[in-house]
Amino acid sequence: MAEVKIQAESRTEFGKGAARRIRRDNKVPAVLYGHGTDPVHITLPGHDTMLALKTANALLLIEVVGSESLLALPKQVQRDPLKGTIEHVDLVIVKRGEKVEVEIAVHVEGDAAGGTLVVLENASVLVEAEATHIPDGVVLNIEGLEAGTAIHASDLKLPTGTTLAVDPETLIVNITTASTAEQVDAEMAEAEAGAGVVRDEPTAAPA
């Protein structure tokens, strides 16, 4: 994964009022921490940060004015629940060559056998990888797989240098038999009966 350079500024103002002023200037308050260092409070350019964080596990090269450049990964991104804009970012400092634990997406491709239902139990999986070689995700091909097939984390083909950081038996995809229309109707009727819902019987047409 390529590094994304972001120019940052040191931040000396704190609190909600200061954060609002920073956001009005189209900037994002952030904190850098890790490797036993004291937290570094910085301000990031809003547009560049938004573009960079569209990529999961983006590797950022933070160039702080008047200080050394630091490699970092996004640890927590706070967004406005309505607008979706970035309000604050926590960044963890990483070093070249070190291993980090990150969630990567599971991309399912192909079509299972006819008459099946594919249930994605976990859309991501926790792995350990080099901080500068984090995979974008892992591809899982389900082409032609039959009902009754269960795919676990240990079945995933991870890139070289990447290892699982979860229980190998973690269920990723479960392939079952798809319900027929009659089965769906029967299940709905049973659920309605349990909830005390009475279905109207069709009225006979007059002779």
Side-chain angles (χ1 to χ4, degrees):
M1 183 179 295
E3 300 167 12
V4 180
K5 290 184 180 181
I6 293 186
Q7 296 288 335
E9 301 170 354
S10 296
R11 178 162 57 96
T12 55
E13 287 188 303
F14 308 99
K16 293 183 178 179
R20 281 195 293 268
R21 285 192 293 274
I22 290 171
R23 296 186 194 109
R24 278 200 298 267
D25 290 337
N26 193 29
K27 296 179 180 179
V28 179
V31 177
L32 274 164
Y33 64 92
H35 281 277
T37 62
D38 292 331
V40 179
H41 299 271
I42 58 175
T43 299
L44 303 174
H47 184 68
D48 291 349
T49 303
M50 178 194 68
L51 292 178
L53 296 184
K54 284 185 175 181
T55 301
N57 302 314
L59 182 62
L60 308 179
L61 180 62
I62 306 296
E63 299 181 334
V64 184
V65 176
S67 183
E68 63 175 327
S69 299
L70 296 169
L71 278 178
L73 291 170
K75 186 69 175 178
Q76 185 176 25
V77 180
Q78 297 176 17
R79 297 180 184 272
D80 183 286
L82 298 178
K83 300 177 182 177
T85 52
I86 300 173
E87 294 198 322
H88 189 275
V89 181
D90 285 348
L91 300 165
V92 60
I93 299 169
V94 295
K95 302 292 185 183
R96 299 184 191 280
E98 80 167 302
K99 295 270 189 175
V100 294
E101 288 190 358
V102 293
E103 292 271 353
I104 62 171
V106 177
H107 302 291
V108 178
E109 65 176 24
D111 296 313
T116 60
L117 177 67
V118 178
V119 181
L120 181 60
E121 301 286 353
N122 283 284
S124 64
V125 64
L126 186 68
V127 299
E128 185 179 71
E130 269 194 41
T132 53
H133 292 87
I134 297 173
D136 293 331
V138 56
V139 175
L140 176 58
N141 192 319
I142 61 168
E143 186 66 35
L145 295 182
E146 300 287 344
T149 303
I151 302 173
H152 300 89
S154 58
D155 299 317
L156 297 175
K157 295 180 180 179
L158 299 174
T160 302
T162 302
T163 56
L164 281 178
V166 295
D167 184 343
E169 292 303 308
T170 299
L171 185 59
I172 303 298
V173 167
N174 192 24
I175 300 177
T176 63
T177 302
S179 299
T180 63
E182 291 77 11
Q183 289 172 325
V184 171
D185 192 58
E187 290 171 1
M188 288 181 63
E190 183 179 348
E192 289 173 353
V197 177
V198 179
R199 288 192 179 189
D200 293 331
E201 293 296 332
T203 303

